[in-house]
Amino acid sequence: MRQSFIDIIPESYNKYIKRKVFIILLTVLLTLAISIYAINAGSAGLSVYDVMKTILGKGEERFQIIVWNIRMPRILSAIVAGIGLSVAGCVTQSILRNSLASPFTLGISQGAAFGAAVAIIVFGADSTTNPDSVIVNNPYLVVFFAFLGSMASTIVVLMLAKSFRVTPEAMVLAGVALGSLFSAVTMILQYFADDVRVASVVFWTFGDIGRVSWKDLGIMSVVVGISLIYFMFNRWNYNALDSGEETAKGLGVDVEKVRLLGMFVSSLIAAVITSFVGIIGFIGLVAPHIMRRLIGGDHRFLIPASSVMGGLILLASDTLGRTIISPIVLPVGAITSFLGAPVFLYVLSRGYKR
């Protein structure tokens, strides 16, 4: 009787693990399928045959430009940005033990918007307009100042945590307060700016995957990849933190160090991504919640699962924005917020019913 009971535990546990792995692989396959559709979709009228020939290097020059210079960077950037924002949200929610924690609620996105506004309005990253678009003439200056603004918010929150030992809940409240402060200062800057520069600031804050180049994609990929490795290396520490600070300390976890480093790395990811693509809310908040409902809170699986779900959601949102009223391209930040709020409320309601 004892032997049979011992045999049942590994068998049921293996089935439990296989279910989690299956869900992750299924999400990866869905992302791959949407990627193939996204390459083909759009106003250029490419067929699947044309896309395949172009990928193999045998397509027309026009198709080469469309696929390799426009669509492939956009698709890969959506996946990388989605992975980064979602894993940052997943780890932040764990180490702060707050389901509302995310790069957006910690004021990082608002800090980036403030930095971009300073670059455009104060330091003259001038812009030109035409009837169809707004173009920032010095994008890397905007990226640099957006990064400084987002990291400024991060440093203030971390200093509060380090110097005054505020609670994780207070860290989130501090982030919300900083977000409001940055938003207020940004509005004051816009009030004194001319119409063209105000339009440029608004355009940057929309969130747009299409502005990312191959070079930008490389920078984002390196930061996200290294950070993901760091998070996976600390997966057991995050599992211990889920049981409470005292339990984690009893298991030998340096709670303060793990929390501060996790916050810094998460904020660095969000800062880099927001600097290049603008403000994209909701991804870091909802993707971890969805996967936590599906596979549980074990960070050995939750971190990679949240990553692939974030990439899937952002890629699907960007593809929808490109195709729903083609040839007009809707900003992906608006799409994620519009689609995300009802899904988030649904996930929360299902959780409370259970």
Side-chain angles (χ1 to χ4, degrees), residues 52-130:
M52 294 302 298
K53 282 183 61 179
T54 303
I55 292 176
L56 295 174
K58 299 180 180 180
E60 300 178 13
E61 184 178 355
R62 177 172 66 93
F63 295 158
Q64 294 278 357
I65 294 173
I66 293 173
V67 172
W68 290 109
N69 293 356
I70 299 176
R71 293 189 181 172
M72 287 296 287
R74 186 178 193 125
I75 292 168
L76 294 176
S77 297
I79 294 174
V80 171
I83 289 173
L85 292 173
S86 59
V87 76
C90 173
V91 172
T92 303
Q93 290 168 16
S94 173
I95 59 181
L96 296 182
R97 301 191 69 193
N98 192 316
S99 59
L100 295 178
S102 73
F104 188 82
T105 56
L106 289 174
I108 298 172
S109 299
Q110 293 86 346
F114 167 70
V118 170
I120 293 172
I121 297 173
V122 178
F123 288 91
D126 263 334
S127 309
T128 57
T129 57
N130 61 49

Side-chain angles (χ1 to χ4, degrees), residues 10-337:
E11 182 180 352
S12 60
Y13 181 75
N14 288 334
K15 288 182 179 179
Y16 181 59
I17 296 300
K18 288 179 181 178
R19 176 179 173 273
K20 296 182 178 184
V21 174
F22 173 76
I23 291 174
I24 295 174
L25 291 177
L26 180 62
T27 310
V28 171
L29 291 175
L30 286 174
T31 304
L32 180 61
I34 295 178
S35 300
I36 296 173
Y37 172 76
I39 296 176
N40 186 57
S43 58
L46 288 175
S47 65
V48 177
Y49 178 71
D50 293 331
V51 171
M52 294 302 298
K53 282 183 61 179
T54 303
I55 292 176
L56 295 174
K58 299 180 180 180
E60 300 178 13
E61 184 178 355
R62 177 172 66 93
F63 295 158
Q64 294 278 357
I65 294 173
I66 293 173
V67 172
W68 290 109
N69 293 356
I70 299 176
R71 293 189 181 172
M72 287 296 287
R74 186 178 193 125
I75 292 168
L76 294 176
S77 297
I79 294 174
V80 171
I83 289 173
L85 292 173
S86 59
V87 76
C90 173
V91 172
T92 303
Q93 290 168 16
S94 173
I95 59 181
L96 296 182
R97 301 191 69 193
N98 192 316
S99 59
L100 295 178
S102 73
F104 188 82
T105 56
L106 289 174
I108 298 172
S109 299
Q110 293 86 346
F114 167 70
V118 170
I120 293 172
I121 297 173
V122 178
F123 288 91
D126 263 334
S127 309
T128 57
T129 57
N130 61 49
D132 298 319
S133 63
V134 179
I135 302 171
V136 177
N137 288 336
N138 198 341
Y140 281 100
L141 182 63
V142 177
V143 166
F144 176 71
F145 274 90
F147 178 77
L148 291 181
S150 55
M151 288 308 296
S153 177
T154 300
I155 291 171
V156 172
V157 173
L158 291 179
M159 285 178 61
L160 288 173
K162 182 72 174 177
S163 303
F164 300 100
R165 299 188 178 276
V166 299
T167 63
E169 294 79 7
M171 291 176 68
V172 176
L173 293 176
V176 173
L178 284 172
S180 299
L181 176 62
F182 281 126
S183 296
V185 178
T186 302
M187 285 189 287
I188 292 173
L189 287 175
Q190 291 176 332
Y191 182 79
F192 290 102
D194 57 46
D195 293 343
V196 172
R197 290 180 175 176
V198 170
S200 300
V201 173
V202 173
F203 170 75
W204 188 90
T205 58
F206 275 159
D208 181 19
I209 303 295
R211 72 181 71 162
V212 180
S213 65
W214 282 108
K215 182 180 178 180
D216 304 337
L217 174 61
I219 296 173
M220 289 196 303
S221 300
V222 170
V223 173
V224 172
I226 294 175
S227 302
L228 194 56
I229 293 172
Y230 170 79
F231 289 145
M232 288 301 296
F233 183 78
N234 284 276
R235 60 194 182 277
W236 288 109
N237 292 332
Y238 302 141
N239 282 343
L241 280 173
D242 283 346
S243 300
E245 288 191 23
E246 297 301 324
T247 302
K249 289 179 180 179
L251 293 172
V253 177
D254 189 341
V255 175
E256 286 76 17
K257 180 180 178 181
V258 169
R259 177 169 290 152
L260 288 174
L261 286 177
M263 276 290 299
F264 178 78
V265 175
S266 299
S267 301
L268 177 64
I269 294 176
V272 171
I273 292 174
T274 305
S275 299
F276 284 113
V277 304
I279 297 177
I280 299 177
F282 176 76
I283 299 294
L285 194 63
V286 171
H289 275 285
I290 293 175
M291 298 313 290
R292 191 175 281 110
R293 301 296 181 193
L294 292 176
I295 68 171
D298 188 346
H299 285 82
R300 294 179 300 165
F301 302 97
L302 181 59
I303 290 175
S306 299
S307 302
V308 294
M309 177 56 73
L312 172 63
I313 293 175
L314 188 53
L315 177 61
S317 300
D318 184 59
T319 304
L320 180 63
R322 288 198 299 114
T323 57
I324 189 171
I325 52 174
S326 179
I328 298 174
V329 179
L330 297 176
V332 68
I335 297 294
T336 56
S337 298

